[in-house]
Amino acid sequence: MRALVRTAAAAATALALLLTGCGGGGDGRADGRITIRFQSLAWQKESVDANKQLVKEWNASHPDVRVQYVQGSWDSVHDQLLTSFEGDEAPDVIHDASDDLADFAHGGYLADLRTLLPDRLTADIPQRSWRTSTFDGGVYGVPFLQEPRVLIANTRLLKASGVRIPTPAHPWSWTEFRRVAKKLTGKGRYGVAWPLKEPVSLTLNLGLSAGGELFHRGADGKVTLAMHAGDLVVPGTIHDQVNTDHSAARTALGMGGGDALPGLFGGKYAMVPLGFSYRQQVVEQAPKGFEWTVLPAPAGRAGLAQGVSPQTLSVAEDSPHKKEAAAFIGFLLRPANMVRLAKGDWMLPTGRAALADPSLHTADRGWATGAALAGALRSAPAQSVRGYPEWKDKVATPAFQEYYSGAIDAAELRKRLVENGNRVLARYQR
């Protein structure tokens, strides 16, 4: 869902945001009251509306601390934030994702939230979620929304094939999933389409189910790369579906998630692995009469475990109003409000109280399947690894793309990911 595009366009977006008042310069006081700036990355209408309404409700009940809503963009957030941090113009409250926080936290740009957050919020979010935003013992973001990878499938094709329908209690194994995809493949139809324009996070996060780790932290705290059998289960399955079984569409490898939906609707693909939030696009775009269902991703020896990088809310270290900014975060993430944000983004809340809301456990539109997977979500493998963005962009993305297309074999994939990757990480850990 999120693509960090480091281009001139990103720099232009950063400049535009700064010129429109995104910055937190000065002490944030206007007319004798405090003003804090909240940069939101909400982009779907329901989500934007929910965020703006909550800001309105806060301002109505907190006349001495006004929150100014600022619209950011997932496409350019990393570079925009870096520019604003270095220019001492960062927003007070920062919406981002946990896998983008490590370098900002280590760079001293984000406030350690351990003494700022209300105890209720700290206790409500599980430790497995807090680990996604914890670096060197400090907490630099509040993980509040998360989404598992699921299979969105054509119900009619599933029923016609006679395959066993998986549930969170009885999911497919990766081996069974490969057999099912072959059975669903027919004239003019592929069993599965893997939209892998950005292949790294999907591969690593689903790899946890098979025991894949790839990144290993030693006793000295340094991280190195090593590939074992579990690390090859998911990429090997995808590679074989494309190149051996011909049950996965080769043309989908260069697609983004939304690009594969027309093929799903038209019967060209029986299943598409996507983030949970893509259900909204299915509801909005599917033709009348299209029957679809949400299935859990395949399970391995680690069960349904998946890596996730939750959306987060952070406070800028240079904000003169950290206490007020943290109080606003506490308000946004009250259980009822967290449910509103989750439903607006078609995602799952991290908080236990919000996740227990009955509206998130209905069979309608796959909510119950997603909620059943929440307990299996773990910190993404590379969450706290310094140098990961460079490894991902320069090493892993081209290596996985070539492997999935059949241009290189597993031995060459291992060599590139590990040998070239360790040289990249070493530069960040000297």
Side-chain angles (χ1 to χ4, degrees):
M1 182 182 77
R2 186 173 60 93
L4 299 180
V5 183
R6 296 169 175 81
T7 62
T13 301
L15 179 60
L17 284 167
L18 293 176
L19 292 175
T20 56
C22 164
D27 67 357
R29 292 183 182 273
D31 301 326
R33 62 180 177 180
I34 292 171
T35 297
I36 58 177
R37 294 174 171 84
F38 164 43
Q39 180 171 305
S40 170
L41 301 180
W43 62 279
Q44 301 182 94
K45 183 180 185 303
E46 292 175 64
S47 181
V48 172
D49 289 347
N51 277 271
K52 288 185 175 180
Q53 180 60 32
L54 286 169
V55 168
K56 183 178 179 180
E57 292 172 15
W58 165 277
N59 287 336
S61 58
H62 296 78
D64 295 329
V65 181
R66 177 178 177 271
V67 172
Q68 177 185 342
Y69 180 94
V70 178
Q71 186 64 61
S73 169
W74 284 112
D75 289 338
S76 57
V77 64
H78 182 91
D79 292 312
Q80 179 263 315
L81 284 175
L82 185 60
T83 300
S84 65
F85 285 137
E86 293 179 346
D88 194 26
E89 292 287 348
D92 301 275
V93 177
I94 298 164
H95 183 188
D96 202 352
S98 59
D99 62 352
D100 195 37
L101 300 184
D103 288 343
F104 293 146
H106 287 294
Y109 295 124
L110 301 177
D112 185 346
L113 301 175
R114 286 176 294 177
T115 61
L116 295 172
L117 298 173
D119 292 341
R120 173 204 59 77
L121 181 59
T122 301
D124 186 46
I125 296 175
Q127 281 302 308
R128 64 175 179 272
S129 295
W130 283 116
R131 281 194 285 271
T132 66
S133 58
T134 299
F135 308 98
D136 291 339
V139 174
Y140 296 94
V142 182
F144 71 107
L145 293 181
Q146 57 190 346
E147 65 173 330
R149 294 274 176 174
V150 295
L151 299 172
I152 297 182
N154 183 315
T155 302
R156 291 181 180 177
L157 293 178
L158 284 179
K159 290 180 178 178
S161 71
V163 300
R164 182 181 71 85
I165 306 301
T167 66
H170 300 285
W172 288 327
S173 67
W174 284 99
T175 300
E176 185 178 7
F177 171 63
R178 184 177 171 187
R179 291 198 303 267
V180 167
K182 289 175 69 174
K183 192 166 185 178
L184 287 167
T185 299
K187 186 177 180 180
R189 183 179 70 245
Y190 293 95
V192 64
W194 288 94
L196 290 174
K197 185 177 181 180
E198 295 184 14
V200 181
S201 63
L202 177 144
T203 305
L204 298 186
N205 289 342
L206 288 182
L208 286 184
S209 69
E213 295 181 25
L214 199 61
F215 294 89
H216 302 268
R217 191 175 297 275
D220 60 357
K222 292 187 176 180
V223 176
T224 56
L225 288 148
M227 284 192 80
H228 303 300
D231 295 298
L232 285 170
V233 170
V234 172
T237 299
I238 298 171
H239 172 276
D240 290 346
Q241 286 178 327
V242 173
N243 299 284
T244 302
D245 303 339
H246 306 293
S247 61
R250 182 180 300 274
T251 54
L253 294 176
M255 294 181 180
D259 300 330
L261 290 179
L264 178 69
F265 302 151
K268 184 177 181 179
Y269 317 130
M271 302 180 291
V272 183
L274 292 169
F276 194 55
S277 62
Y278 275 93
R279 296 169 303 126
Q280 182 184 31
Q281 292 188 43
V282 175
V283 169
E284 293 177 345
Q285 299 173 16
K288 185 177 181 180
F290 178 73
E291 298 179 15
W292 59 284
T293 188
V294 176
L295 308 175
R301 64 183 179 89
L304 288 166
Q306 283 190 40
V308 291
S309 299
Q311 293 187 23
T312 55
L313 293 172
S314 301
V315 175
E317 174 61 30
D318 287 343
S319 170
H321 304 297
K322 295 184 183 68
K323 181 179 178 182
E324 291 81 4
F328 173 65
I329 291 175
F331 167 81
L332 274 182
L333 303 186
R334 290 174 181 172
N337 293 344
M338 197 184 287
V339 171
R340 292 163 67 182
L341 293 172
K343 294 176 76 172
D345 252 327
W346 291 65
M347 297 176 74
L348 299 175
T350 58
R352 296 183 182 91
L355 189 60
D357 189 279
S359 67
L360 302 181
H361 292 263
T362 65
D364 182 49
R365 298 175 178 179
W367 279 109
T369 298
L373 299 176
L377 303 181
R378 302 287 183 267
S379 177
Q383 197 75 67
S384 61
V385 177
R386 300 204 67 188
Y388 168 72
E390 180 179 341
W391 174 82
K392 181 187 73 171
D393 292 345
K394 295 182 178 180
V395 177
T397 294
F400 277 123
Q401 287 174 336
E402 290 186 52
Y403 176 63
Y404 290 144
S405 71
I408 62 174
D409 61 13
E412 179 64 19
L413 175 70
R414 183 193 303 267
K415 179 180 179 181
R416 293 193 190 183
L417 294 180
V418 175
E419 294 183 15
N420 296 351
N422 278 328
R423 283 194 287 270
V424 170
L425 298 189
R427 287 192 281 104
Y428 288 83
Q429 301 181 100
R430 290 170 182 166

